[in-house]
Amino acid sequence: MTRRSVPRARPPGRAAVGRGRASCHHGEILQGVFLDERGRACAGLVTLPMAGPGTRAEFTPDPHGTPGPLTVTPADRTKALRAATLALAECHRAGPHAPPPGGVLRLGGTVPLGLGMGSSSSDVVAAVRAVADAYGRRLAPEAVASLAVAAEKATDPLMLDDRPRLFAQREGRVLETFGEALPPAVVVGCALDGGRPVDTLSLPSRPSGPDDLAGYERLRRLLRRAVGDADVELLGHIATESARLSQRVLPRVEFDRLVRIAERTGATGVQIAHSGSVAGLLFDPTAPGLDARLRDCARALHHDGIPVTRTFTTFPTGEEFPHGPTPGRGDGPTGPDTAGRRLRLPAL
């Protein structure tokens, strides 16, 4: 993949503090194994964008311009540290005004841990952007994707804009762009399995036999049509079928209950993060009695012991949607790359 950077002016003789930010997502609409342009099978996903939570990164180069270590705070953000180190080397190769190899990276933000919302990818993308910004460069999305894959083996497409894309997460490249935006939908978010974190890289590979490929390619064609027709009913069907196929990789005991709640409350389908605990029920924003449907959905989830997290849309809006009782907040278990993150999303 070609790496490109665009230089920007910096005042001479002054070490700049670089800043970067990255958003998150709400799991996947579709994930599986797909054919690329050469007919080769590769893993791919289509994420569900969500505004709000994100990671902020700040990179301070060594003030003396001398070689030294690169450190990160919090110290357990090892993937972001690897990404920053790679970004520093990338900028160092870019020309005579390349950065020194040392500095301090600081991370903060509001992306919940382990729910399948791309918390580590958000850290990585924000870190790369902060390092580049410190030295007056803006790396192209393709370059950020390449660095992110090198840092964490598989990455979410958070370096790209929110257009619906089929993204090869282990290769850092786009297999297909479906259009400008997903069909308009209202999503009632919730957390499965008590919000227990999932180790993405420990999950088994998805089945990729001829029948599996045919099934995923069928959903790909349907998603192409759903985006083109702005069809939220079809989008819900695709998300539900993708979540059903994901049961073979990461079974969710709540899946059947979510489907029943969707049917009772008039949701178009069920969306589940395929490598995490976040899930959502999709509603047509033009459906009659939408507010009542959303309240009924939240009550049904609460009754079944499934915490409601946040209600949001796939389109810009300033409206807040009612969604029933707010679950209690709590800190999740810690481990590598997890310290100090909230387990659940704040409710609206």
Side-chain angles (χ1 to χ4, degrees), residues 38-130:
R38 299 190 300 272
R40 182 177 60 91
C42 60
L45 52 81
V46 181
T47 56
L48 176 59
M50 185 183 66
T55 298
R56 300 180 308 277
E58 181 180 282
F59 177 70
T60 305
D62 182 276
H64 305 294
T66 55
L70 179 63
T71 61
V72 63
T73 303
D76 63 350
R77 306 295 174 88
T78 55
K79 295 176 182 177
L81 178 62
R82 286 198 296 269
T85 302
L86 293 168
L88 199 60
E90 175 72 11
C91 292
H92 187 69
R93 287 192 295 267
H97 302 292
V104 178
L105 175 69
R106 295 180 177 86
L107 297 171
T110 56
V111 185
L113 156 70
L115 296 187
M117 297 175 64
S119 57
S120 63
S121 291
S122 187
D123 283 356
V124 162
V125 172
V128 169
R129 286 173 171 169

Side-chain angles (χ1 to χ4, degrees), residues 21 23-26 48-54 110 117 162 310-317 345 348:
R21 188 188 185 281
S23 61
C24 68
H25 60 80
H26 197 264
L48 176 59
M50 185 183 66
T110 56
M117 297 175 64
D162 286 343
R310 159 176 290 195
T311 301
F312 64 98
T313 71
T314 62
F315 53 92
T317 177
L345 285 169
L348 284 177

Side-chain angles (χ1 to χ4, degrees), residues 268-342:
T268 68
V270 171
Q271 171 263 338
I272 293 179
H274 292 195
S275 56
S277 303
V278 74
L281 285 80
L282 281 64
F283 288 83
D284 183 346
T286 67
L290 176 63
D291 287 355
R293 292 172 189 261
L294 299 181
R295 284 192 293 269
D296 289 346
C297 177
R299 279 195 290 265
L301 290 169
H302 181 69
H303 181 268
D304 273 18
I306 302 174
V308 177
T309 53
R310 159 176 290 195
T311 301
F312 64 98
T313 71
T314 62
F315 53 92
T317 177
E319 182 177 0
E320 294 186 0
F321 291 91
H323 65 293
T326 300
R329 295 184 182 181
D331 291 326
T334 59
D337 270 54
T338 67
R341 293 230 181 96
R342 287 291 184 184

